[in-house]
Amino acid sequence: MSMKCDVVVVGAGPGGSMAAKAAAQAGLRVTLLEKRQEIGDPVRCAEGVGKRALSQIVKPEPEWIAAEVKGARIYAPDGTSIVMSEDKGGAEVGYVLERKVFDRGLAMEAARAGAKVMVKTRAIGLLKKDGAPCGVSAMRIGEPLEIEAPIVIGADGVESKVGRWAGIDTTLKLKDIETCAQFLVTDTRVDDQYCEFFLGNGIAPGGYVWSFPKGEKLANVGLGILGSRSKPGEATRLLKEFMKSHFPNGKVLEMVVGADPCSGPIESTTADGVMLVGDAARQTDPLTGGGILTAMQSGIIAGEVAAKAVSSGDVSKEGLKEYEDRWRADIGKSLARSYEFKEFFVKLTDEDLNQLIGSLNKEDIAKMDLRGMLRVLFRLNPRLLWELRHLVV
Amino acid sequence: MLTVNRYKCCYCGACVGVCPTCSLELVETFIEVSADCKECGICTKICPVGALEVKA
Ligand SMILES: Cc1cc2nc3c(=O)[nH]c(=O)nc-3n(C[C@H](O)[C@H](O)[C@H](O)COP(=O)(O)OP(=O)(O)OC[C@H]3O[C@@H](n4cnc5c(N)ncnc54)[C@H](O)[C@@H]3O)c2cc1C
Ligand code: SF4
Ligand code: SF4
């Protein structure tokens, strides 16, 4: 079977759905492909997202939100902790979402804007004319399907192939990916008010453990470790260890595994007729692993640029340059900065982490944002943080 | 040979993202290995549940 449209979006995660919605709103004929039979399931996420930042992109529906938190509490390896208030804690703190409902909600918004949504439909390659991409070939419920379109938006997540098909090497090095395991846990020990972060090379080498509350003593308890420090099954093994020490009576209701790109901005996210968004473009925050909002932001830009390119008739890499420029201006700088922090953070010993968090103990940081806190950290620990001085000013 | 323990795999796609030869494909709930696999073992290290193994 074959069909035609103006833009094919591969992947109905937050990035793909926002791209499809923006392109449809701009009047394009949009097809949104999702290989899974159920959008958003199984989840690969801790579901934390900044309140204000999300509301600036979409109107949050009450059913998307499992819980609201007051802030973040960060634990050093020695157990010392500091607290940051919700509005300062960065892009991952504020709401804890129900991603299964949220992802489907965003796909519904794309559908209502006019996009055609096709589930259980997997892109398997790019169609090419004179060497340039002109759509995708797919498998739809086991049957081949060709979709011709001048523009393909690759929103196909950590396992993205669209970029690689178009000649953009998005392969992640082990040092640039966090491998994660998470349990949905019910336990009286769950803190319903705060997103908790636990640091330490023993519990999560090159990453951290999190507990994100979902209401009534329920929480996503998970961890990410740096790929270069992982071995087969290590993420799950470490999570079970953490459960023994922190939630010994916790009951596990769901298991989640996955991986987060932490490569920082890659060289190119466009090719002739192709744009990459979200995890596919490796736009996840390398330090925190947060990628919901960045995927949505870049998705919207890609949808808007697609509309302009289709109407101008120039869908070449050059014609799609506006996408590259706009996402780099919006989120590129902060992703690059986060990458430098991550490269530094993964080298810290437990003693360093204890010193840094301990040094904040007597400071009033509750109302500080990350930048402000870094400035204080730098003042108190100049020698340890010397490498980062250019980021702190 | 690279083997996938289908009873362990949680179909998360982590292995697909790191394979330098693009030999893996996540088809909804199972991993396919193509003939291009060089048995380098990179994917086995990233698997959060230890479902992948390079066997002699
Ligand atoms: C354990 C874990 C915890 C995380 N916690 C957070 C957090 O707390 N906050 C946060 O902001 N971010 C978090 N992230 C990151 C966040 O989940 C991702 O950055 C976000 O989902 C990226 O959205 P996306 O739309 O780019 O990709 P995805 O949400 O991964 O969507 C990609 C979609 O494309 C589909 N697809 C792939 N290939 C094809 C194909 N060939 N054909 C058709 N469809 C295809 C997939 O099935 C999938 O539905 C976490 C990630 C992990 C792994
Ligand atoms: S990394 Fe492991 S669990 Fe994830 S899809 Fe690959 S084999 Fe399955
Ligand atoms: S062993 Fe190496 S080449 Fe084979 S699938 Fe794994 S990462 Fe790819």
Side-chain angles (χ1 to χ4, degrees):
Chain A
M1 217 183 91
S2 71
M3 49 186 274
K4 277 188 186 164
C5 61
D6 298 316
V7 52
V8 183
V9 182
V10 180
S17 288
M18 293 310 284
K21 179 182 166 191
Q25 277 173 339
L28 296 190
R29 292 171 301 159
V30 181
T31 309
L32 174 61
L33 305 185
E34 172 52 56
K35 69 181 171 187
R36 305 174 181 189
Q37 66 190 47
E38 283 174 49
I39 288 167
D41 192 32
V43 170
R44 311 188 277 203
C45 190
E47 307 177 302
V49 80
K51 222 190 259 185
R52 198 160 11 111
L54 178 69
S55 313
Q56 279 164 359
I57 305 175
V58 282
K59 186 177 138 301
E61 298 294 338
E63 67 266 25
W64 297 350
I65 293 149
E68 279 187 47
V69 295
K70 284 190 182 156
R73 185 179 288 120
I74 306 170
Y75 293 88
D78 64 7
T80 321
S81 67
I82 54 167
V83 171
M84 295 177 79
S85 72
E86 159 269 314
D87 52 331
K88 310 291 184 197
E92 285 68 51
V93 177
Y95 288 137
V96 182
L97 298 170
E98 198 61 71
R99 278 282 306 260
K100 284 174 208 172
V101 182
F102 174 72
D103 282 25
R104 188 167 31 171
L106 294 185
M108 195 147 75
E109 292 195 1
R112 288 192 175 141
K116 184 180 175 75
V117 184
M118 297 175 106
V119 294
K120 209 167 168 76
T121 306
R122 180 171 55 97
I124 56 172
L126 293 175
L127 298 173
K128 298 211 172 154
K129 197 156 59 193
D130 306 324
C134 60
V136 300
S137 53
M139 286 294 272
R140 174 167 169 72
I141 323 181
E143 302 289 339
L145 169 69
E146 292 198 341
I147 308 171
E148 279 177 52
I151 293 187
V152 178
I153 296 179
D156 46 343
V158 70
E159 76 261 44
S160 178
K161 291 269 174 83
V162 172
R164 291 191 263 188
W165 292 330
I168 307 169
D169 185 11
T170 56
T171 310
L172 290 161
K173 296 195 183 73
L174 288 176
K175 73 169 201 46
D176 286 331
I177 182 169
E178 293 272 329
T179 167
C180 311
Q182 173 178 287
F183 294 143
L184 178 63
V185 174
T186 174
D187 189 333
T188 50
R189 287 199 183 191
V190 165
D191 186 332
D192 285 328
Q193 310 283 342
Y194 286 89
C195 281
E196 298 189 293
F197 298 85
F198 303 82
L199 309 180
N201 287 287
I203 55 171
Y208 61 85
V209 183
W210 63 80
S211 169
F212 288 2
K214 297 190 76 174
E216 293 174 42
K217 300 292 166 197
L218 191 67
N220 286 330
V221 178
L223 57 79
I225 61 177
L226 201 63
S228 49
R229 296 210 212 157
S230 173
K231 52 189 182 200
E234 187 68 355
T236 307
R237 189 189 70 76
L238 285 168
L239 181 58
K240 286 183 186 157
E241 288 295 312
F242 184 83
M243 287 293 294
K244 269 189 230 156
S245 58
H246 286 72
F247 298 101
N249 301 315
K251 306 256 189 326
V252 175
L253 302 173
E254 197 172 294
M255 179 176 172
V256 163
V257 300
D260 249 356
C262 57
S263 60
I266 55 175
E267 220 167 274
S268 169
T269 57
T270 49
D272 290 342
V274 172
M275 289 180 269
L276 302 178
V277 308
D279 276 11
R282 311 321 191 193
Q283 284 157 336
T284 331
D285 186 297
L287 185 64
T288 63
I292 301 171
L293 294 173
T294 47
M296 294 171 76
Q297 284 167 291
S298 61
I300 294 171
I301 301 173
E304 291 172 357
V305 172
K308 284 192 198 172
V310 166
S311 69
S312 77
D314 181 4
V315 299
S316 68
K317 181 174 164 69
E318 196 46 41
L320 301 175
K321 190 170 169 296
E322 184 187 335
Y323 170 65
E324 202 83 72
D325 293 344
R326 277 177 61 191
W327 81 254
R328 285 180 201 275
D330 276 11
I331 57 173
K333 265 198 212 108
S334 83
L335 293 180
R337 200 165 47 226
S338 272
Y339 182 70
E340 285 193 64
F341 281 128
K342 167 223 141 191
E343 289 291 283
F344 178 78
F345 170 78
V346 300
K347 285 187 296 200
L348 294 175
T349 63
D350 282 4
E351 290 70 43
D352 296 338
L353 292 166
N354 290 336
Q355 180 190 325
L356 287 175
I357 292 185
S359 75
L360 290 173
N361 233 352
K362 291 191 195 68
E363 300 287 323
D364 182 19
I365 58 154
K367 289 272 170 263
M368 260 177 224
D369 64 5
L370 267 172
R371 278 191 95 102
M373 194 171 91
L374 276 165
R375 238 174 268 133
V376 176
L377 273 173
F378 192 74
R379 175 163 56 76
L380 300 171
N381 310 274
R383 203 170 303 165
L384 186 55
L385 297 177
W386 192 242
E387 260 180 61
L388 294 178
R389 62 192 178 283
H390 62 289
L391 295 172
V392 175
V393 284
Chain B
M1 197 176 81
L2 179 72
T3 61
V4 187
N5 185 333
R6 301 191 197 294
Y7 303 102
K8 280 192 179 176
C9 173
C10 297
Y11 29 98
C12 70
C15 53
V16 182
V18 298
C19 173
T21 58
C22 212
S23 301
L24 297 171
E25 170 79 345
L26 172 60
V27 187
E28 275 189 271
T29 56
F30 62 95
I31 286 288
E32 271 179 0
V33 188
S34 84
D36 299 328
C37 171
K38 298 281 181 289
E39 301 179 11
C40 68
I42 290 176
C43 58
T44 65
K45 297 201 182 98
I46 206 72
C47 179
V49 295
L52 300 170
E53 227 180 308
V54 177
K55 286 188 181 150

